[in-house]
Amino acid sequence: MKAICSISGWEFEISEREIALRNALDINVLPDLMPHLRIRHIGAFWPHWSLHKRMCDKTGRDIISVFRPECPYPVWHKDEWYKSAEPPQAPIDFDQTFFSQAERLFKQCPIPHNSGTGNENCEYTDDWWFGRNCYLCHCGVKNEDNRYCYRLIGCKNSLYCVFSFECEWCIDVINSEKCFQCIYGFYLKNCRDTAFCYDCRNCQDCLFCFNLRNKQYCIGNKQLSREEYEIQKQQFPFDTQPWYQRCKDLFWKMLREIAWHKSNYLDFTENCSGNYLLRLKNMSHTFFGADGEDGINVTRFWWAKTATDSINLQDAERIIYSSGAQVKCYDIGFSFMLDNTRFARYSAYSSKCENVFGCCGLLGWKNAILNTPYAQAEYEMLRNKLVGHMKSTGEWGHFFPGSFAPNPYDEGWGSFYFPLSLAEQKQWGYFSLPGAEQHDAKYPHPDDIPSAWEATETSTLLTYWDEFAHKPFQILPQDIDFCRKIGVPIPQSHYMRRLQENFAWMPYNGVLRKTKCAQSWVDIETSWSAEYDGRILSEAEYLKKVW
């Protein structure tokens, strides 16, 4: 059936399968937003990209948190939260809207300062799990000795890598797997000693190559002898900043003008649509996911089953319109940042709970509404009455207003893909940033940073200023050692700007664009922007091109 988006005014389709899935999840309200705008909204509730020095509101000690000192919620170090979180309670007032009651309560409830566990020497990380000796990293599992990385699993000794798995001694590697000593690569698998390569498999000793399989000693896809390769390689001194930037520009030109692009990255999938998907079945309009089945409009997940309109899922089943349901969550709706929880609606920042509605900051509770515990029979009666009340006020079936988010919009996941003006943030009720940090004249300019072979540990005593990110940054002794070993220039920008520039190579805006295969002219859908038209291929034509 057709519907009109209440924000954009555009018409969108609600499929019979989506209606059936919503009914299976006991939500019989149809969406009034286009799919990508639902993801944009709940993406604002996933703190991302930033770490702040602030005080723990429980102990008064200094901590590193994803939440600013201005956070409207009390923020406790998660160790303290797990030990003694006792949030306030509230009675149900059926003369008021549910959201107004819940917001007053939620903003009195302590929340943990970041997410992740099982780490050693990883204080400056977030959403980081079972890691060791990692610094300024976000969203990863089982990593060691990495710095300035985002979304890694099983990686070691790497810098500025995003969405990569089981890689080691790599820098600026994007959406890649099982690579070793690779410099600036995108969509690589089982490669080693490559630089500025794209979509290569089982390759080594290659420069500026694309769409190659099982090759060695190639430059620009041209096969060379080992001796020829070593001689020509000397023409590209990656260890100076001007040359590194020039090579990035050549890489950019290669992708846009001569490389071939598969319309979507779907590996080992059945009856799926979307992009960056692995080992999935019956998942439509889905992005950045692995291992799952039976979902619609789900983004950034690992093992999700029977889910819709959700983001940041891990080992979760029966999830609707939620942002962050991790570690064995089951039957969760309209909630954010839950783990090990079952049968929750309209709840946030809670763990190991069951049968909770309108709750925040709970650990190990059952049968609670607005953080007030009830006997099971009374809980079920009040819950049904509250659902009826929310239906009468028009709240049921809609996610929390933006004012519930404890982080500014610009420090949420959604801001990277769906930037909003300050006026738009205000319209949605989001908490906005107080303003860009101002340049302090005492900071030296990044142009003063020496080359890797010239640098000494004295370089790390200075703080430099990134005029584009509006943030200061430092260089660690480990950065100098790494850059010398790999043969690349020392970093000259704030780490998050470089990470986001790398992540931008993976095109995504929440929709699939219709275009034509550049070879067969059949209709295809893709996330690649229109500037790549003429180089985008269907799966069948792509397989003819790679060799």
Side-chain angles (χ1 to χ4, degrees), residues 165 167 173-180 182 186-192 194 198-204 212-214 262 265-268 277-278:
F165 314 99
C167 294
V173 164
I174 304 131
N175 193 26
S176 295
E177 181 180 350
K178 296 180 179 174
C179 293
F180 181 77
C182 292
F186 178 22
Y187 199 41
L188 308 178
K189 290 188 178 180
N190 298 297
C191 292
R192 62 180 297 150
T194 67
Y198 165 67
D199 185 25
C200 292
R201 304 283 184 277
N202 303 312
C203 293
Q204 56 185 308
L212 289 190
R213 301 295 184 266
N214 309 307
K262 186 164 63 168
Y265 300 110
L266 308 181
D267 295 323
F268 306 106
L277 305 181
L278 177 65

Side-chain angles (χ1 to χ4, degrees), residues 164-232:
S164 293
F165 314 99
E166 298 182 60
C167 294
E168 189 169 355
W169 290 105
C170 292
I171 185 168
D172 291 318
V173 164
I174 304 131
N175 193 26
S176 295
E177 181 180 350
K178 296 180 179 174
C179 293
F180 181 77
Q181 289 191 173
C182 292
I183 298 172
Y184 215 96
F186 178 22
Y187 199 41
L188 308 178
K189 290 188 178 180
N190 298 297
C191 292
R192 62 180 297 150
D193 298 303
T194 67
F196 298 94
C197 290
Y198 165 67
D199 185 25
C200 292
R201 304 283 184 277
N202 303 312
C203 293
Q204 56 185 308
D205 300 300
C206 291
L207 305 180
F208 299 104
C209 292
F210 55 93
N211 307 132
L212 289 190
R213 301 295 184 266
N214 309 307
K215 296 292 184 179
Q216 187 175 17
Y217 305 127
C218 294
I219 297 180
N221 282 23
K222 181 180 179 180
Q223 183 65 61
L224 304 172
S225 68
R226 179 176 180 177
E227 292 74 17
E228 291 172 326
Y229 175 82
E230 294 296 341
I231 292 171
Q232 294 191 29

Side-chain angles (χ1 to χ4, degrees), residues 229-248:
Y229 175 82
E230 294 296 341
I231 292 171
Q232 294 191 29
K233 180 181 177 181
Q234 301 308 312
Q235 301 175 30
F236 302 97
F238 302 133
D239 51 6
T240 65
Q241 187 63 37
W243 262 103
Y244 200 78
Q245 182 59 51
R246 182 178 177 184
C247 290
K248 287 169 63 175

Side-chain angles (χ1 to χ4, degrees), residues 22 51 137 500 541:
R22 285 175 165 265
L51 294 169
C137 292
Q500 291 182 337
E541 293 298 328

Side-chain angles (χ1 to χ4, degrees), residues 512-530:
L512 291 173
R513 180 178 66 89
K514 295 184 184 299
T515 187
K516 297 284 188 181
C517 170
Q519 294 293 298
S520 66
W521 295 101
V522 301
D523 292 332
I524 56 175
E525 291 185 324
T526 186
S527 297
W528 293 104
S529 63

Side-chain angles (χ1 to χ4, degrees), residues 78-132:
K78 63 189 173 190
D79 292 347
E80 297 293 333
W81 186 84
Y82 279 114
K83 284 192 299 187
S84 56
E86 294 181 1
Q89 303 175 11
I92 307 170
D93 185 346
F94 290 102
D95 292 327
Q96 297 185 44
T97 64
F98 167 76
F99 284 148
S100 64
Q101 299 175 71
E103 185 167 2
R104 283 195 301 272
L105 173 66
F106 279 28
K107 291 182 178 178
Q108 302 175 59
C109 298
I111 59 176
H113 79 294
N114 70 5
S115 61
T117 190
N119 295 310
E120 178 184 344
N121 190 28
C122 296
E123 181 183 9
Y124 288 81
T125 63
D126 175 57
D127 197 11
W128 206 248
W129 306 77
F130 309 105
R132 183 171 178 267

Side-chain angles (χ1 to χ4, degrees), residues 310-324:
S310 294
I311 187 173
N312 187 19
L313 307 183
Q314 178 182 329
D315 195 5
E317 183 174 357
R318 290 181 60 85
I319 312 295
I320 184 169
Y321 218 168
S322 292
S323 177

